[in-house]
Amino acid sequence: MILHAVYREGRDARLPCLVWLHGFLGSLREWDAVSESFIDWPQLRIDLPGHGKSADITASDFHQVDQLLRKTLLSYNILKYWLIGYSLGGRVAMYHACQGENSGLCGLVVEGSHPGLADENARRERQASDHLWGQRLRNEALQDVLHAWYQQPVFQSLNDQQRTALIALRSQNNAASLAAMLEATSLGNQPDLRAALQQIPQPFYYLCGELDEKFRSVAHSLALTPHLITAAGHNAHRDNPVAFSACLLNLLRKPIEDTP
């Protein structure tokens, strides 16, 4: 079994493939506004389990998600690649990068994403919180749950118009599939990847919106200087796709330009 994905050839076959991983509630369409800026690169946009056209695919933990990702990459014969992940997609990308056997991984770009909780009490609290959200997704109207979801502090930079647009877009999802994926990939179930991330040999870049105070702090906890996207909150690539694309293009070109 592989995940649903859309592949696009690049103008330069020598470049590694850009593999785009969306966040919770999203789909591969999440990257529509930015992928056109990267036509030189081959690209693979993936629907994660429980989302988009992978809604019927389930995974019980991060290991299973990673195995699905690896099988999907192999099915497209992708042997050299960058992982670019937002929120949940970033957590999947970081987990993947820390598992070894990644000779094809050229680099890691994470947007507004958490490496994992070190404190056991915090892990249990997050598991309980995500279980409650899962129960709401199963038992309440999806639009009602989304209204509550986008009132969380991490989304405080959204205005009413942006919230309304996101709720309308996310309401197309399958609530039961979302609930299963939310609980399986709860931050409370994710390993704390901080130490492992310090050891990966590939370039590792962290992007976040300048208004996203929580994840600016997370980046610093990883001893990384975040690349800030102006006029953007937690969903920086959606809030300011032009600035996001310009920043990412600069980072992707670094290894090429720095090679003697």
Side-chain angles (χ1 to χ4, degrees), residues 36-228:
E36 290 299 321
S37 298
F38 301 89
I39 56 176
D40 285 345
W41 284 262
Q43 299 182 56
L44 187 73
R45 294 184 294 159
I46 293 177
D47 280 335
L48 291 173
H51 295 75
K53 293 184 179 179
S54 296
D56 293 334
I57 299 176
T58 58
S60 62
D61 54 23
F62 277 90
H63 175 72
Q64 287 193 1
V65 176
D66 186 52
Q67 291 303 303
L68 286 165
L69 173 60
R70 290 176 186 273
K71 290 176 182 177
T72 305
L73 294 176
L74 282 175
S75 74
Y76 284 90
N77 197 34
I78 293 173
L79 305 178
K80 294 192 306 177
Y81 57 97
W82 280 77
L83 289 181
I84 304 165
Y86 162 63
S87 196
L88 170 60
R91 296 197 284 125
V92 171
M94 287 187 283
Y95 181 91
H96 177 91
C98 293
Q99 298 312 301
E101 301 178 12
N102 288 324
S103 59
L105 180 63
C106 299
L108 182 65
V109 178
V110 167
E111 174 197 351
S113 194
H114 205 296
L117 299 169
D119 181 73
E120 190 59 36
N121 288 330
R123 292 170 66 85
R124 285 196 293 267
E125 289 175 5
R126 182 56 182 260
Q127 289 170 350
S129 173
D130 286 338
H131 177 68
L132 288 175
W133 280 112
Q135 292 296 93
R136 293 191 66 176
L137 284 164
R138 293 184 182 95
N139 298 315
E140 300 178 28
L142 180 54
Q143 277 205 341
D144 292 343
V145 180
L146 293 173
H147 274 285
W149 180 267
Y150 285 112
Q151 293 299 325
Q152 294 181 96
V154 72
F155 300 113
Q156 64 183 354
S157 67
L158 295 175
N159 58 39
D160 289 342
Q161 184 179 4
Q162 289 171 317
R163 280 193 179 87
T164 299
L166 279 170
I167 290 166
L169 181 64
R170 307 312 193 200
S171 294
Q172 301 169 24
N173 281 297
N174 180 297
S177 297
L178 293 176
M181 185 61 172
L182 177 63
E183 292 173 343
T185 57
S186 169
L187 188 60
N189 295 331
Q190 177 183 316
D192 179 13
L193 301 171
R194 283 180 177 83
L197 287 166
Q198 301 286 344
Q199 303 299 318
I200 64 171
Q202 298 88 356
F204 177 23
Y205 302 118
Y206 197 104
L207 281 60
C208 64
E210 66 174 349
L211 304 176
D212 190 354
E213 295 180 5
K214 174 180 178 179
F215 285 96
R216 289 178 66 166
S217 176
V218 167
H220 289 300
S221 78
L222 281 163
L224 295 171
T225 300
H227 297 268
L228 300 181

